Amino acid sequence: MKTYIKNMWKDLVDNKEVIIVLSIVWVVLFEQFSIPTFLVGLLMAVLVVLFTDRFLLKGNYEHSYMIGLGTLTKYGLRLLLEILVAGIDVIPNIITGKADVQIISCETKLTDELLIDILANSITLTPGTVTVEKKGSKLRVLALNAPGEDEDPRAVIPLKLEGILLRYEEKIEGKA
């Protein structure tokens, strides 16, 4: 019994960043900051981590999902900026009816499947683009006002987001 509790405590300590993030998400979703809301969020985060470790993952989230808290924060802030800029850029095209929709094939420089999935989902979150297919590092993107034939098809990818993920991928590969 002592070993079980010791392992459970070790899992909680190893995943403290995830517990904090989940608690913050809980508070944000409830749209009010109060001590009871935060404590219930903290309890739910602990239960989620314990359940996931017991039945699903068997290990540290960062090792399983490979995304550190710093990279996740940097990526999230950059994604919000990309969404705002793309939204402002797309609005005049939609209002004037000058939107030309095409499916563009492009390839990301990422090699890790999880990071490619994150990038593909980020493309879909960015106004004016939707990832319609992913095969390895090849993406097919439905794009509003897509780049022309003489332009780089990778222009539909938010390149600064890809850059953050590339740096993280290189850092992880350097440790392996």
Side-chain angles (χ1 to χ4, degrees), residues 10-76:
K10 184 181 179 320
D11 283 343
L12 293 175
V13 170
D14 287 345
N15 295 305
K16 62 188 170 289
E17 294 94 355
V18 173
I19 292 171
I20 291 168
V21 169
L22 290 174
S23 300
I24 291 170
V25 168
W26 182 273
V27 170
V28 168
L29 290 175
F30 271 83
E31 296 180 351
Q32 79 177 49
F33 182 76
S34 65
I35 300 300
T37 304
F38 181 75
L39 290 176
V40 170
L42 188 63
L43 175 67
M44 289 295 139
V46 166
L47 291 175
V48 164
V49 166
L50 291 175
F51 177 82
T52 305
D53 281 352
R54 173 104 167 114
F55 298 107
L56 302 174
L57 273 184
K58 311 279 192 223
N60 188 309
Y61 284 78
E62 285 190 31
H63 290 97
S64 299
Y65 287 115
M66 209 176 77
I67 301 293
L69 195 57
T71 301
L72 188 62
T73 303
K74 190 185 320 179
Y75 190 82

Side-chain angles (χ1 to χ4, degrees), residues 159-175:
L159 296 175
K160 291 187 179 175
L161 291 175
E162 182 188 41
I164 293 170
L165 295 176
L166 277 169
R167 285 190 297 279
Y168 194 74
E169 186 176 55
E170 289 167 2
K171 184 172 98 173
I172 293 301
E173 287 175 359
K175 289 181 181 178

Side-chain angles (χ1 to χ4, degrees), residues 87-100:
I88 292 168
D89 188 43
V90 165
I91 290 171
N93 294 326
I94 293 172
I95 292 174
T96 60
K98 296 180 181 175
D100 180 30

Side-chain angles (χ1 to χ4, degrees), residues 58-168:
K58 311 279 192 223
N60 188 309
Y61 284 78
E62 285 190 31
H63 290 97
S64 299
Y65 287 115
M66 209 176 77
I67 301 293
L69 195 57
T71 301
L72 188 62
T73 303
K74 190 185 320 179
Y75 190 82
L77 292 173
R78 186 64 206 192
L79 178 60
L80 284 174
L81 181 65
E82 292 284 338
I83 290 170
L84 287 171
V85 169
I88 292 168
D89 188 43
V90 165
I91 290 171
N93 294 326
I94 293 172
I95 292 174
T96 60
K98 296 180 181 175
D100 180 30
V101 180
Q102 295 177 11
I103 293 183
I104 303 295
S105 294
C106 57
E107 190 166 350
T108 178
K109 295 177 182 176
L110 295 167
T111 57
D112 183 80
E113 286 295 319
L114 176 65
L115 297 179
I116 295 169
D117 288 341
I118 290 172
L119 182 63
N121 287 329
S122 299
I123 290 170
T124 300
L125 285 172
T126 307
T129 54
V130 177
T131 305
V132 293
E133 185 179 15
K134 175 192 147 308
K135 287 185 181 174
S137 61
K138 293 182 176 149
L139 304 172
R140 288 179 35 124
V141 179
L142 178 72
L144 195 65
N145 296 330
E149 290 182 21
D150 55 335
E151 296 178 63
D152 184 12
R154 287 178 37 82
V156 297
I157 298 175
L159 296 175
K160 291 187 179 175
L161 291 175
E162 182 188 41
I164 293 170
L165 295 176
L166 277 169
R167 285 190 297 279
Y168 194 74

